């Protein structure tokens, strides 16, 4: 079964459990990938983070219930909000009016229908890539914990990079670089319970006051690029939405890696390493 079909299975699961707690791990199992990679695929394919999609679907149904005469508190509890204040905030963010106003005759609310993923092959612009099979390698650097809800991490990674740039961490790491891949690495290690983002280098030298991490052996699809952080994000989007569906590969279980080959933030040269396995 293609992974797009499995993504649609996760949409069906979400619909069946909108009045219950929805664990990302359960969705990831249906998609046959890690929770981290599932959320990344979902966000790029849907154009909205997973948590926001679930919120919109719940608030769509909540509006229907309120217009049918259900009480605000009962509706809040039905969709998992123990606090009326939190429910009011979520409802107003989606519909632009408070839940109490949705009960009034003629109230205008919004409807967000369930998603259905399909493959659209564009093929207008070529994508260069190579397949790299590597044994496990050691990295040393600094890291920060990541939340399992990726939407909560938008400030974590830029803050870590800003601190590393201002406190001398980056040039110190550059001096320790002596392994492959050569470059400053941004590593999203989210395979187990301890999700962390690393700024690091491949090195055999003593870690000193840095931390170390062993990147597991894996096969990666490696995509070169250049430009700003926005161009890197656009490359990652194209990898997920254009290359992966037609590639004959699926997401593997190793970390995602960004390899920065120069130090110019406005015209960076980089590589995006995506762990892959051949489809069975």
């Amino acid at each position: 079964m293609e992974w797009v079909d499995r993504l649609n299975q996760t949409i069906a699961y979400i619909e069946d459990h909108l009045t219950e707690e929805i664990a990302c791990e359960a969705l990831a199992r249906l998609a046959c990938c890690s929770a981290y990679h599932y959320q990344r695929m979902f966000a790029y394919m849907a154009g909205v983070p997973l948590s926001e999609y679930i919120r919109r679907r719940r608030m769509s149904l909540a509006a229907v219930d309120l217009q049918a005469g259900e009480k605000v508190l009962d509706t809040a509890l039905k969709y998992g909000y123990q606090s009326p204040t939190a429910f009011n905030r979520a409802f107003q963010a989606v519909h632009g009016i408070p839940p109490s106003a949705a009960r009034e005759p003629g109230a205008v609310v919004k409807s967000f229908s369930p998603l259905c993923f399909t493959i659209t092959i564009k093929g207008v612009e070529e994508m260069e890539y190579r397949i790299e099979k590597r044994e496990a390698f050691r990295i040393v650097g600094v890291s920060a914990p990541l939340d399992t809800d990726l939407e909560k991490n938008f400030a974590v990674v830029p803050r870590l990079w800003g601190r590393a740039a201002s406190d001398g961490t980056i040039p110190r790491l550059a001096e320790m670089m002596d392994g492959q891949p050569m470059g400053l690495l941004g590593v999203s290690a989210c395979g187990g319970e301890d999700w962390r983002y690393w700024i690091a280098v491949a090195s055999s030298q003593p870690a000193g006051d840095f931390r170390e991490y062993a990147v597991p052996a894996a096969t990666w699809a490696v995509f070169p690029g250049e430009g700003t952080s926005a161009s890197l994000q656009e490359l990652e989007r194209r990898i997920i939405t254009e290359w992966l569906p037609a590639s004959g590969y699926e997401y593997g279980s190793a970390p995602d890696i960004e390899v920065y080959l120069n130090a110019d933030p406005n015209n960076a040269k980089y590589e995006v390493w995506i762990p892959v396995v051949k489809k069975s």
Side-chain angles (χ1 to χ4, degrees):
M1 181 182 295
E2 294 291 338
W3 65 269
V4 171
D5 296 326
R6 295 198 290 263
L7 284 178
N8 284 322
Q9 282 191 335
T10 69
I11 295 297
Y13 181 95
I14 290 170
E15 288 300 303
D16 290 341
H17 295 82
L18 283 172
T19 58
E20 307 166 25
E21 182 178 354
I22 299 175
C24 184
E25 291 75 14
L27 299 172
R29 283 193 294 272
L30 287 173
C32 299
C33 63
S34 71
Y36 171 79
H37 288 140
Y38 172 74
Q39 290 184 76
R40 290 197 70 200
M41 284 194 298
F42 187 97
Y44 281 126
M45 294 286 288
V48 64
L50 173 65
S51 57
E52 178 60 22
Y53 171 75
I54 294 173
R55 185 181 304 117
R56 291 180 183 182
R57 285 296 300 140
R58 283 174 170 159
M59 293 305 100
S60 291
L61 297 183
V64 173
D65 293 343
L66 291 170
Q67 292 183 325
E70 287 195 20
K71 296 179 180 179
V72 172
L73 180 58
D74 291 343
T75 305
L77 293 172
K78 178 179 180 179
Y79 292 102
Y81 290 85
Q82 301 301 317
S83 163
T85 301
F87 176 67
N88 181 82
R89 185 165 55 246
F91 191 92
Q92 192 152 345
V94 171
H95 296 287
I97 59 174
S100 56
R103 292 164 51 88
E104 300 297 326
V108 176
V109 294
K110 297 176 182 177
S111 176
F112 294 91
S113 300
L115 285 172
C116 180
F117 292 108
T118 59
I119 295 178
T120 301
I121 304 300
K122 296 181 180 179
V124 177
E125 297 181 36
E126 64 183 19
M127 296 186 71
E128 293 184 359
Y129 75 95
R130 68 181 187 273
I131 299 298
E132 290 254 356
K133 186 174 183 180
R134 287 192 171 273
E135 298 300 320
F137 61 94
R138 172 181 177 266
I139 63 173
V140 297
V142 294
S143 67
L146 295 175
D147 196 281
T148 53
D149 181 350
L150 293 191
E151 194 177 2
K152 297 179 180 178
N153 294 318
F154 290 146
V156 173
V157 173
R159 188 163 55 239
L160 184 64
W161 277 104
R163 188 163 63 245
S166 63
D167 67 6
T169 292
I170 290 178
R172 289 178 59 207
L173 287 174
E175 292 177 356
M176 299 177 66
M177 187 191 314
D178 63 7
Q180 294 291 336
M182 289 292 288
L184 190 62
L185 311 179
V187 180
S188 299
C190 304
E193 295 182 359
D194 182 22
W195 286 26
R196 303 193 74 84
Y197 182 85
W198 289 79
I199 299 173
V201 294
S203 178
S204 61
Q205 299 183 33
D209 56 351
F210 290 124
R211 300 182 63 184
E212 62 181 82
Y213 172 75
V215 177
T219 299
W220 277 273
V222 181
F223 299 81
E226 59 183 53
T228 64
S229 59
S231 65
L232 187 147
Q233 292 171 4
E234 172 62 14
L235 175 58
E236 291 178 339
R237 184 196 66 79
R238 291 190 63 211
I239 293 168
I240 300 302
T241 61
E242 297 179 28
W243 181 81
L244 191 58
S247 67
Y249 290 94
E250 296 178 320
Y251 247 126
S253 58
D256 284 3
I257 303 174
E258 298 162 358
V259 182
Y260 295 93
L261 304 173
N262 69 1
D264 185 352
N266 296 315
N267 189 28
K269 294 186 184 298
Y270 51 78
E271 293 179 338
V272 175
W273 290 46
I274 301 295
V276 292
V277 293
K278 267 292 195 181
K279 288 181 182 178
S280 56

